[in-house]
Amino acid sequence: MQVNIMMHAVVERPRSGGETTSGGTNGVAIWDIFRREDVPKIIEYMMKHQKEFLHFKNLPLEHVLHPIHDQTFYFDEMHKRQLKEEYNIEPWTFEQHLGEAVFIPAGCPHQVKNRQSCMKVALDFVSPESIKECIKLTQEFRRLPQGHRSKQDILEIKKLVVCAAGAAVDEIGKSRLNLN
């Protein structure tokens, strides 16, 4: 899982006379989070429409290793509409305001578009419910080529499972001593 907290934003709203001032009611960022169950179809869509997604200097993407882990695709409104029409897939879309936290379930593809200059703090963590998904993601990352931006195993899930199992065994040992 990941939690992403909006810590600071320079939000401007129009004043009378065309000037701007800090404040405003619109969210600072727009999030789209897709269901993990839809990943195979999302990848299929991305590969099918790869040339339609523009990258730097409005050029089409020429080379794709992994459509999600490359982090080079962005679903604009047209692509979200087309994904809904072709595959019946649509993301949860919402605004994030200053001071709000967004929790992203493990394995859920997501994208965010910042409307204003802002600073966010992101933290990856593993919840017991997501261990299976985290192991799957770790295996996907390991298949990526050396030097890929997502290659690093930031979750270190296997170490985490071994440490948790060790802690559980220690607790069992302590409770057995307390019973005697």
Side-chain angles (χ1 to χ4, degrees), residues 118-163:
C118 59
M119 288 188 291
K120 295 181 263 188
V121 174
L123 174 68
D124 292 309
F125 64 96
V126 178
S127 65
E129 301 82 12
S130 67
I131 288 177
K132 182 178 176 183
E133 190 62 32
C134 291
I135 290 171
K136 180 181 167 216
L137 286 170
T138 298
Q139 291 167 344
E140 286 180 15
F141 295 154
R142 288 198 176 133
R143 287 191 290 267
L144 296 170
Q146 285 300 106
H148 191 280
R149 70 186 305 161
S150 296
K151 178 76 174 174
Q152 185 181 2
D153 181 7
I154 57 172
L155 295 177
E156 297 183 336
I157 192 71
K158 290 181 181 175
K159 287 181 190 174
L160 188 67
V161 170
V162 168
C163 288

Side-chain angles (χ1 to χ4, degrees), residues 163-177:
C163 288
V169 169
D170 288 346
E171 286 300 314
I172 291 170
K174 287 178 189 175
S175 24
R176 289 175 118 184
L177 287 175

